[in-house]
Short mmCIF file of all heavy atoms in Angstrom, two decimals:
data_model
loop_
_atom_site.label_atom_id
_atom_site.label_comp_id
_atom_site.label_asym_id
_atom_site.label_seq_id
_atom_site.Cartn_x
_atom_site.Cartn_y
_atom_site.Cartn_z
N GLU A 1 17.75 -8.18 -9.00
CA GLU A 1 18.79 -8.86 -9.79
C GLU A 1 20.19 -8.27 -9.46
O GLU A 1 21.17 -8.84 -9.15
CB GLU A 1 18.51 -8.70 -11.13
CG GLU A 1 19.68 -9.44 -12.08
CD GLU A 1 19.55 -9.12 -13.56
OE1 GLU A 1 18.46 -8.60 -13.96
OE2 GLU A 1 20.48 -9.39 -14.27
N HIS A 2 20.23 -6.97 -9.44
CA HIS A 2 21.43 -6.17 -9.16
C HIS A 2 21.89 -6.09 -7.79
O HIS A 2 23.06 -6.03 -7.37
CB HIS A 2 21.48 -4.91 -9.98
CG HIS A 2 21.71 -4.98 -11.39
ND1 HIS A 2 23.01 -4.87 -11.90
CD2 HIS A 2 20.95 -5.25 -12.55
CE1 HIS A 2 23.06 -5.05 -13.25
NE2 HIS A 2 21.75 -5.33 -13.64
N VAL A 3 20.88 -6.19 -6.90
CA VAL A 3 21.16 -6.16 -5.48
C VAL A 3 21.90 -7.49 -5.19
O VAL A 3 22.98 -7.52 -4.58
CB VAL A 3 19.90 -6.12 -4.66
CG1 VAL A 3 20.16 -6.63 -3.16
CG2 VAL A 3 19.31 -4.73 -4.66
N LYS A 4 21.42 -8.55 -5.87
CA LYS A 4 22.09 -9.85 -5.73
C LYS A 4 23.50 -9.94 -6.26
O LYS A 4 24.42 -10.45 -5.73
CB LYS A 4 21.25 -10.99 -6.36
CG LYS A 4 19.93 -11.29 -5.58
CD LYS A 4 19.20 -12.32 -6.29
CE LYS A 4 17.88 -12.74 -5.52
NZ LYS A 4 17.18 -13.85 -6.20
N LEU A 5 23.64 -9.26 -7.54
CA LEU A 5 24.85 -9.19 -8.15
C LEU A 5 25.91 -8.47 -7.34
O LEU A 5 27.04 -9.02 -7.20
CB LEU A 5 24.77 -8.49 -9.54
CG LEU A 5 25.86 -8.52 -10.45
CD1 LEU A 5 26.27 -9.85 -10.98
CD2 LEU A 5 25.61 -7.60 -11.60
N LEU A 6 25.55 -7.37 -6.87
CA LEU A 6 26.48 -6.43 -6.13
C LEU A 6 26.91 -7.07 -4.80
O LEU A 6 28.18 -7.14 -4.54
CB LEU A 6 25.82 -5.17 -5.88
CG LEU A 6 25.67 -4.13 -7.02
CD1 LEU A 6 24.66 -3.09 -6.77
CD2 LEU A 6 27.02 -3.58 -7.39
N ILE A 7 25.95 -7.77 -4.11
CA ILE A 7 26.39 -8.37 -2.87
C ILE A 7 27.21 -9.65 -3.13
O ILE A 7 28.16 -9.89 -2.44
CB ILE A 7 25.15 -8.83 -2.09
CG1 ILE A 7 24.43 -7.52 -1.56
CG2 ILE A 7 25.44 -9.64 -0.99
CD1 ILE A 7 23.04 -7.68 -0.85
N GLY A 8 26.90 -10.32 -4.23
CA GLY A 8 27.73 -11.45 -4.75
C GLY A 8 29.15 -10.98 -4.97
O GLY A 8 30.00 -11.80 -4.70
N TYR A 9 29.39 -9.80 -5.32
CA TYR A 9 30.73 -9.27 -5.62
C TYR A 9 31.37 -8.61 -4.43
O TYR A 9 32.47 -8.13 -4.52
CB TYR A 9 30.73 -8.39 -6.87
CG TYR A 9 30.80 -9.09 -8.20
CD1 TYR A 9 29.65 -9.24 -8.83
CD2 TYR A 9 32.03 -9.67 -8.53
CE1 TYR A 9 29.75 -10.03 -10.17
CE2 TYR A 9 32.09 -10.29 -9.87
CZ TYR A 9 30.90 -10.37 -10.55
OH TYR A 9 31.07 -11.07 -11.82
N GLY A 10 30.59 -8.69 -3.27
CA GLY A 10 31.11 -8.16 -2.03
C GLY A 10 30.73 -6.77 -1.53
O GLY A 10 31.33 -6.26 -0.61
N ALA A 11 29.63 -6.22 -2.13
CA ALA A 11 29.14 -4.94 -1.64
C ALA A 11 28.76 -5.01 -0.17
O ALA A 11 28.32 -6.03 0.29
CB ALA A 11 27.84 -4.51 -2.44
N ASN A 12 28.95 -3.92 0.50
CA ASN A 12 28.79 -4.01 1.98
C ASN A 12 27.27 -3.69 2.23
O ASN A 12 26.64 -2.73 1.89
CB ASN A 12 29.56 -2.78 2.60
CG ASN A 12 29.38 -2.69 4.04
OD1 ASN A 12 28.79 -3.47 4.65
ND2 ASN A 12 30.07 -1.74 4.70
N VAL A 13 26.60 -4.78 2.87
CA VAL A 13 25.19 -4.68 3.08
C VAL A 13 24.83 -3.62 4.29
O VAL A 13 23.64 -3.32 4.45
CB VAL A 13 24.61 -6.01 3.43
CG1 VAL A 13 24.75 -6.99 2.38
CG2 VAL A 13 25.23 -6.61 4.74
N ASN A 14 25.91 -3.28 4.95
CA ASN A 14 25.56 -2.23 5.94
C ASN A 14 26.30 -0.82 5.67
O ASN A 14 26.55 -0.06 6.66
CB ASN A 14 26.05 -2.84 7.33
CG ASN A 14 25.20 -3.90 7.84
OD1 ASN A 14 24.08 -3.89 7.69
ND2 ASN A 14 25.86 -5.02 8.39
N GLU A 15 26.48 -0.67 4.44
CA GLU A 15 27.12 0.70 4.08
C GLU A 15 26.06 1.81 4.41
O GLU A 15 24.83 1.66 4.28
CB GLU A 15 27.38 0.71 2.56
CG GLU A 15 28.23 1.87 2.16
CD GLU A 15 29.73 1.70 2.70
OE1 GLU A 15 30.52 0.79 2.30
OE2 GLU A 15 29.94 2.43 3.71
N ARG A 16 26.58 2.96 4.87
CA ARG A 16 25.61 3.99 5.30
C ARG A 16 25.73 5.24 4.39
O ARG A 16 26.79 5.78 4.31
CB ARG A 16 26.04 4.37 6.81
CG ARG A 16 25.79 3.33 7.77
CD ARG A 16 26.32 3.63 9.15
NE ARG A 16 25.60 4.62 9.71
CZ ARG A 16 25.81 5.18 10.96
NH1 ARG A 16 26.87 4.69 11.56
NH2 ARG A 16 25.10 6.13 11.35
N ALA A 17 24.64 5.61 3.92
CA ALA A 17 24.52 6.76 3.18
C ALA A 17 24.29 8.00 4.01
O ALA A 17 23.19 8.28 4.42
CB ALA A 17 23.36 6.79 2.10
N MET A 18 25.31 8.67 4.40
CA MET A 18 25.27 9.69 5.45
C MET A 18 25.34 11.20 4.94
O MET A 18 25.40 12.09 5.79
CB MET A 18 26.47 9.41 6.52
CG MET A 18 26.35 8.16 7.23
SD MET A 18 27.65 7.88 8.45
CE MET A 18 28.87 7.29 7.30
N GLY A 19 25.65 11.39 3.78
CA GLY A 19 25.75 12.66 3.21
C GLY A 19 24.58 13.61 3.57
O GLY A 19 23.48 13.16 3.82
N ARG A 20 24.77 14.96 3.32
CA ARG A 20 23.82 15.94 3.56
C ARG A 20 22.44 15.75 2.87
O ARG A 20 21.45 15.90 3.31
CB ARG A 20 24.27 17.27 3.23
CG ARG A 20 25.33 17.85 4.18
CD ARG A 20 25.59 19.29 4.01
NE ARG A 20 26.09 19.50 2.60
CZ ARG A 20 27.49 19.55 2.37
NH1 ARG A 20 28.39 19.39 3.32
NH2 ARG A 20 27.87 19.87 1.12
N PHE A 21 22.56 15.15 1.60
CA PHE A 21 21.42 14.95 0.76
C PHE A 21 20.42 14.00 1.57
O PHE A 21 19.27 14.12 1.25
CB PHE A 21 21.82 14.29 -0.58
CG PHE A 21 20.64 14.11 -1.46
CD1 PHE A 21 20.14 15.10 -2.27
CD2 PHE A 21 20.13 12.76 -1.58
CE1 PHE A 21 19.03 14.88 -3.14
CE2 PHE A 21 19.00 12.61 -2.55
CZ PHE A 21 18.57 13.63 -3.33
N PHE A 22 20.97 13.13 2.21
CA PHE A 22 20.17 12.04 2.90
C PHE A 22 19.56 12.49 4.36
O PHE A 22 18.91 11.65 5.07
CB PHE A 22 20.82 10.81 3.05
CG PHE A 22 21.43 10.29 1.76
CD1 PHE A 22 22.68 10.42 1.42
CD2 PHE A 22 20.48 9.75 0.87
CE1 PHE A 22 23.08 10.05 0.11
CE2 PHE A 22 20.93 9.27 -0.43
CZ PHE A 22 22.26 9.45 -0.77
N LEU A 23 19.82 13.75 4.74
CA LEU A 23 19.34 14.18 5.99
C LEU A 23 18.01 14.72 5.92
O LEU A 23 17.38 15.18 4.95
CB LEU A 23 20.22 15.27 6.60
CG LEU A 23 21.73 14.95 6.85
CD1 LEU A 23 22.52 16.14 7.22
CD2 LEU A 23 21.83 13.92 7.98
N PRO A 24 17.24 14.78 7.17
CA PRO A 24 15.88 15.48 7.20
C PRO A 24 16.26 16.98 6.85
O PRO A 24 17.46 17.51 7.08
CB PRO A 24 15.58 15.43 8.66
CG PRO A 24 16.26 14.09 9.04
CD PRO A 24 17.58 14.07 8.33
N GLU A 25 15.35 17.58 6.27
CA GLU A 25 15.52 19.06 5.71
C GLU A 25 15.99 19.97 6.93
O GLU A 25 16.80 20.83 6.66
CB GLU A 25 14.31 19.53 5.09
CG GLU A 25 13.86 18.73 3.92
CD GLU A 25 14.97 18.76 2.86
OE1 GLU A 25 15.37 19.89 2.44
OE2 GLU A 25 15.35 17.67 2.30
N ASP A 26 15.40 19.79 8.07
CA ASP A 26 15.83 20.69 9.19
C ASP A 26 17.14 20.44 9.73
O ASP A 26 17.47 21.10 10.72
CB ASP A 26 14.55 20.80 10.26
CG ASP A 26 14.44 19.44 10.79
OD1 ASP A 26 15.32 18.52 10.67
OD2 ASP A 26 13.40 19.18 11.55
N GLN A 27 17.82 19.46 9.26
CA GLN A 27 19.15 19.05 9.79
C GLN A 27 20.26 19.41 8.75
O GLN A 27 21.47 19.25 9.09
CB GLN A 27 19.23 17.70 10.03
CG GLN A 27 18.18 17.20 11.20
CD GLN A 27 18.42 17.91 12.56
OE1 GLN A 27 19.48 17.68 13.16
NE2 GLN A 27 17.48 18.60 13.03
N LYS A 28 20.01 19.95 7.58
CA LYS A 28 20.97 20.03 6.49
C LYS A 28 21.99 21.14 6.79
O LYS A 28 23.08 21.10 6.29
CB LYS A 28 20.22 20.06 5.13
CG LYS A 28 19.76 18.81 4.77
CD LYS A 28 19.14 18.84 3.39
CE LYS A 28 18.64 17.44 3.05
NZ LYS A 28 17.97 17.37 1.76
N LYS A 29 21.56 22.16 7.55
CA LYS A 29 22.51 23.24 7.76
C LYS A 29 23.26 22.99 9.07
O LYS A 29 24.50 23.33 9.26
CB LYS A 29 21.73 24.56 7.83
CG LYS A 29 21.17 25.10 6.49
CD LYS A 29 20.52 26.31 6.57
CE LYS A 29 20.14 26.86 5.23
NZ LYS A 29 19.44 28.22 5.34
N ARG A 30 22.61 22.43 10.04
CA ARG A 30 23.32 22.22 11.37
C ARG A 30 22.41 21.21 12.04
O ARG A 30 21.22 21.18 11.99
CB ARG A 30 23.50 23.39 12.30
CG ARG A 30 22.35 24.11 12.68
CD ARG A 30 22.62 25.39 13.31
NE ARG A 30 21.32 26.13 13.80
CZ ARG A 30 20.77 25.89 14.88
NH1 ARG A 30 21.15 25.06 15.68
NH2 ARG A 30 19.64 26.60 15.19
N LYS A 31 23.04 20.43 13.01
CA LYS A 31 22.36 19.38 13.80
C LYS A 31 21.70 20.06 15.00
O LYS A 31 22.21 20.98 15.62
CB LYS A 31 23.21 18.44 14.38
CG LYS A 31 22.70 17.28 15.14
CD LYS A 31 23.57 16.16 15.60
CE LYS A 31 22.93 15.03 16.12
NZ LYS A 31 23.85 13.90 16.51
N THR A 32 20.40 19.86 15.12
CA THR A 32 19.58 20.38 16.25
C THR A 32 19.12 19.28 17.16
O THR A 32 19.05 18.03 16.76
CB THR A 32 18.49 21.24 15.70
OG1 THR A 32 17.66 20.36 14.88
CG2 THR A 32 18.89 22.40 14.83
N LYS A 33 18.62 19.63 18.33
CA LYS A 33 18.14 18.58 19.26
C LYS A 33 16.95 18.01 18.77
O LYS A 33 16.57 16.83 19.04
CB LYS A 33 17.96 19.23 20.68
CG LYS A 33 19.28 19.58 21.37
CD LYS A 33 19.02 20.10 22.79
CE LYS A 33 20.28 20.39 23.47
NZ LYS A 33 20.07 20.88 24.87
N GLU A 34 16.00 18.78 18.16
CA GLU A 34 14.68 18.33 17.79
C GLU A 34 14.75 18.26 16.18
O GLU A 34 15.28 19.07 15.59
CB GLU A 34 13.56 19.23 18.23
CG GLU A 34 13.45 19.14 19.75
CD GLU A 34 12.95 17.76 20.28
OE1 GLU A 34 12.18 17.09 19.60
OE2 GLU A 34 13.34 17.46 21.36
N THR A 35 13.88 17.16 15.59
CA THR A 35 13.78 17.18 14.26
C THR A 35 12.39 16.48 14.00
O THR A 35 12.03 15.72 14.70
CB THR A 35 14.85 16.24 13.59
OG1 THR A 35 14.57 16.16 12.20
CG2 THR A 35 14.95 14.96 14.13
N ASP A 36 11.81 16.79 12.81
CA ASP A 36 10.52 16.11 12.31
C ASP A 36 10.87 15.01 11.43
O ASP A 36 9.93 14.29 10.88
CB ASP A 36 9.59 17.19 11.75
CG ASP A 36 10.15 17.70 10.60
OD1 ASP A 36 11.30 17.29 10.10
OD2 ASP A 36 9.55 18.81 10.03
N TYR A 37 12.19 14.68 11.17
CA TYR A 37 12.53 13.61 10.31
C TYR A 37 12.16 13.68 8.94
O TYR A 37 12.10 12.76 8.16
CB TYR A 37 12.19 12.22 10.93
CG TYR A 37 12.71 12.08 12.38
CD1 TYR A 37 11.75 12.11 13.41
CD2 TYR A 37 14.02 11.85 12.65
CE1 TYR A 37 12.17 11.86 14.74
CE2 TYR A 37 14.33 11.67 13.93
CZ TYR A 37 13.44 11.66 15.00
OH TYR A 37 13.88 11.50 16.29
N ASP A 38 11.57 14.76 8.57
CA ASP A 38 11.04 14.96 7.18
C ASP A 38 12.12 15.37 6.23
O ASP A 38 12.80 16.43 6.34
CB ASP A 38 9.92 16.02 7.24
CG ASP A 38 9.22 16.17 5.81
OD1 ASP A 38 9.27 15.24 5.12
OD2 ASP A 38 8.91 17.27 5.52
N GLY A 39 12.35 14.52 5.19
CA GLY A 39 13.32 14.82 4.26
C GLY A 39 13.08 14.12 2.88
O GLY A 39 12.39 13.08 2.93
N TYR A 40 13.56 14.70 1.87
CA TYR A 40 13.31 14.21 0.40
C TYR A 40 13.96 12.82 0.34
O TYR A 40 13.47 11.96 -0.47
CB TYR A 40 13.76 15.12 -0.63
CG TYR A 40 13.14 16.52 -0.48
CD1 TYR A 40 13.72 17.60 -0.12
CD2 TYR A 40 11.78 16.59 -0.98
CE1 TYR A 40 13.21 18.88 -0.12
CE2 TYR A 40 11.14 17.85 -0.88
CZ TYR A 40 11.73 19.00 -0.46
OH TYR A 40 11.28 20.25 -0.45
N ALA A 41 15.09 12.54 0.99
CA ALA A 41 15.76 11.34 0.78
C ALA A 41 16.34 10.89 2.16
O ALA A 41 17.38 10.13 2.17
CB ALA A 41 17.04 11.47 -0.18
N TYR A 42 15.60 11.08 3.22
CA TYR A 42 16.01 10.44 4.53
C TYR A 42 15.45 9.05 4.70
O TYR A 42 14.17 9.00 4.91
CB TYR A 42 15.52 11.35 5.68
CG TYR A 42 15.90 10.66 7.13
CD1 TYR A 42 17.12 10.21 7.29
CD2 TYR A 42 14.86 10.57 7.94
CE1 TYR A 42 17.44 9.51 8.47
CE2 TYR A 42 15.09 10.06 9.23
CZ TYR A 42 16.39 9.47 9.49
OH TYR A 42 16.73 8.89 10.71
N TYR A 43 16.21 8.03 4.31
CA TYR A 43 15.63 6.66 4.35
C TYR A 43 16.45 5.81 5.36
O TYR A 43 16.47 4.56 5.18
CB TYR A 43 15.90 6.10 3.02
CG TYR A 43 15.00 6.88 1.95
CD1 TYR A 43 15.59 7.32 0.78
CD2 TYR A 43 13.68 7.03 2.11
CE1 TYR A 43 14.91 8.13 -0.15
CE2 TYR A 43 12.93 7.89 1.17
CZ TYR A 43 13.69 8.27 0.08
OH TYR A 43 12.94 9.03 -0.99
N GLY A 44 17.11 6.51 6.37
CA GLY A 44 17.66 5.68 7.38
C GLY A 44 19.09 5.11 7.27
O GLY A 44 19.61 4.26 7.93
#
């Protein structure tokens, strides 16, 4: 219901949650070449 409401009012359907909280755990201090993509809130 609220997804529809927010988009109806102009919410950006392609907004990106890029903050540190949303990173894999092994990337939160610095970016590395390899990652296991495991994170408490890494959802793309």
Side-chain angles (χ1 to χ4, degrees):
E1 176 190 352
H2 278 266
V3 167
K4 290 180 177 180
L5 183 72
L6 287 161
I7 292 176
Y9 277 100
N12 183 0
V13 297
N14 289 318
E15 197 65 75
R16 297 172 66 181
M18 296 179 282
R20 285 192 298 269
F21 182 81
F22 303 102
L23 295 175
E25 295 304 305
D26 61 13
Q27 300 295 298
K28 287 183 176 180
K29 291 185 179 180
R30 64 185 178 87
K31 188 175 184 179
T32 61
K33 290 183 178 180
E34 294 293 328
T35 176
D36 59 10
Y37 306 106
D38 183 29
Y40 298 109
Y42 175 48
Y43 302 125

